[in-house]
Amino acid sequence: MTIPTLGTLSGRKLVTDLQSFGLQIGEQTGGIARKGGAGPSDHKTITIAGQTVMVPVYTSGARHSPFQASPPDQRGASTLLRDGQALGTIHFPAAPRFYGLSTADGIPYWKIALLHGRDTLATTVHQTCIRYADRRTSCQFCAIGQSLEADRTIAYKTPAQLAEVAKAAVELDGVRDMVLTTGTPNVVDRGAAVLAESARAIRAAVDLPLQVQCEPPRDHGWFQRLRDAGADSLGMHLEAATQAVREKIMPGKATVSVDRYMDAFASAVPVFGRGQVNTYILAGLGDSAADILALAERLIALGVYPFVVPFVPISGTPLENHAPPSADFMKSVLAPLGRMLREANMKSTDIRAGCGRCGACSSLSAYE
């Protein structure tokens, strides 16, 4: 039995369902996985009908998912089942070759940057945040400190380390773009300075499109500085659509209001170009579908690509038992959003670098 491609109605429904329900897996699936960290996590990478996507596997919901994967064979091939019925073959991609290397001082490359999706390299330059230690100010879904505590990363990746790993990932594994994100180190440039320094070093070492991600800096002149340093696209992530949900879920980050984000987007788009400024929106935190779509309409009008993904509860965070959005809820958002993007001629395939281009954490691109 062959799984339908994501371009078909049944194919995108399957991936939307998988990303909402999660996937039950055995202990020895191998491949590429991510636990903890700053962004969507507790996933495993799978290739389904030729498309590489991230599917929750380490969440409480995934343990009760109707989807199961049989133990993979030596090539990483596995049978995907729903309620015990075989749907077809999926693959667990092997770890990239650059994971086997280390820096001269003995730091494994995978502690510096990770492969996301099919061919996107990603790193959190500063694995710390001024808000994380105090739950009165931290984002309730964030696990930026977990991977550091578990010795799966290092606190700060130097520009030289990032350049070395990026070059190896391109040469050994054909990586096509890179995401540089950061915990918020201060409330002035909000990480833009360290991102610019990192981008400049990477672009001096290898021709690799880059997306940088941070909160809006107070000085919007940083957008041009980031562009001049070699960044091709910019991510400034609202996470939630309404100020009320933002204040409940991310009380510290919500002090930078939706209106201030919109002002920053208006300043950034002329620098990076239409569609090259993105924002992450986590569906399922409490915003209605209408709330998300209303915000998306405003963003698209500004030239900002709204990358909507299903919220994935990460173990060990205050929201670990918060239910992910249903597949029906995601379809009620993604289908009309896909139409809006088509009408605006704003496509994920036109994004030079970043989460929207990778697309592995959402089935949005299949709805465009």
Side-chain angles (χ1 to χ4, degrees):
M1 183 177 294
T2 301
I3 291 175
T5 64
L6 267 66
T8 64
L9 182 63
S10 55
R12 67 187 183 215
K13 178 183 184 302
L14 175 58
V15 172
T16 303
D17 287 353
L18 269 168
Q19 291 187 322
S20 291
F21 287 112
L23 175 65
Q24 294 189 54
I25 61 171
E27 293 295 321
Q28 304 299 323
T29 56
I32 306 168
R34 184 164 186 251
K35 296 186 71 173
S41 191
D42 287 10
H43 291 76
K44 186 173 280 288
T45 302
I46 67 170
T47 299
I48 178 168
Q51 183 81 18
T52 301
V53 297
M54 305 291 284
V55 175
V57 295
Y58 299 120
T59 63
S60 58
R63 289 193 289 271
H64 304 286
S65 172
F67 292 101
Q68 294 178 307
S70 69
D73 63 20
Q74 291 183 339
R75 299 177 296 108
S78 171
T79 299
L80 177 66
L81 304 98
R82 182 167 189 166
D83 296 321
Q85 299 296 312
L87 301 178
T89 301
I90 60 174
H91 289 82
F92 292 93
R97 287 182 287 177
F98 80 87
Y99 277 21
L101 302 179
S102 297
T103 63
D105 50 351
I107 299 172
Y109 279 10
W110 57 264
K111 286 190 177 185
I112 296 169
L114 293 171
L115 185 69
H116 283 207
R118 182 190 297 274
D119 52 18
T120 295
L121 188 66
T123 186
T124 303
V125 180
H126 263 296
Q127 199 77 28
T128 55
C129 179
I130 55 173
R131 303 190 179 108
Y132 181 74
D134 188 344
R135 283 303 182 191
R136 294 172 299 178
T137 60
S138 67
C139 298
Q140 303 297 290
F141 50 75
C142 184
I144 192 172
Q146 285 187 10
S147 49
L148 188 61
E149 292 167 4
D151 196 31
R152 291 193 295 267
T153 189
I154 56 177
Y156 171 64
K157 292 83 172 177
T158 68
Q161 289 171 334
L162 293 170
E164 179 180 343
V165 174
K167 189 172 187 294
V170 170
E171 293 175 350
L172 295 177
D173 297 285
V175 160
R176 294 180 58 191
D177 72 326
M178 185 174 184
V179 174
L180 304 170
T181 190
T182 181
T184 300
N186 61 66
V187 295
V188 181
D189 68 68
R190 301 186 188 276
V194 72
L195 292 174
E197 182 184 30
S198 301
R200 191 173 293 109
I202 293 166
R203 293 307 293 261
V206 62
D207 183 16
L208 182 64
L210 303 177
Q211 180 175 80
V212 291
Q213 300 178 351
C214 62
E215 294 181 41
R218 288 183 182 176
D219 175 10
H220 290 182
W222 273 109
F223 300 141
Q224 187 62 56
R225 294 176 205 128
L226 287 164
R227 188 76 179 95
D228 293 342
D232 296 275
S233 69
L234 172 69
M236 292 188 291
H237 300 334
L238 279 161
E239 320 288 6
T242 59
Q243 189 62 17
V245 173
R246 297 180 79 245
E247 289 174 358
K248 178 181 178 182
I249 300 295
M250 54 196 92
K253 190 170 183 176
T255 59
V256 186
S257 68
V258 173
D259 287 342
R260 285 177 64 186
Y261 268 81
M262 300 305 281
D263 288 343
F265 290 138
S267 295
V269 169
V271 175
F272 286 91
R274 184 174 180 275
Q276 302 305 324
V277 178
N278 315 149
T279 192
Y280 225 94
I281 299 172
L282 297 170
L285 291 177
D287 295 313
S288 68
D291 290 332
I292 295 171
L293 291 169
L295 175 64
E297 186 174 27
R298 294 175 63 195
L299 291 165
I300 292 170
L302 283 173
V304 176
Y305 185 93
F307 188 53
V308 177
V309 306
F311 166 69
V312 176
I314 301 176
S315 301
T317 67
L319 293 185
E320 65 179 348
N321 295 315
H322 184 97
S326 70
D328 286 341
F329 180 81
M330 289 308 303
K331 282 173 266 187
S332 76
V333 173
L334 297 179
L337 177 55
R339 287 194 296 271
M340 292 163 61
L341 289 167
R342 283 198 306 274
E343 291 168 0
N345 195 30
M346 190 177 290
K347 303 174 184 176
S348 56
T349 52
D350 292 333
I351 300 172
R352 290 190 287 268
C355 294
R357 179 206 165 271
C358 172
C361 292
S362 173
S363 58
L364 175 57
S365 62
Y367 290 84
E368 289 179 356

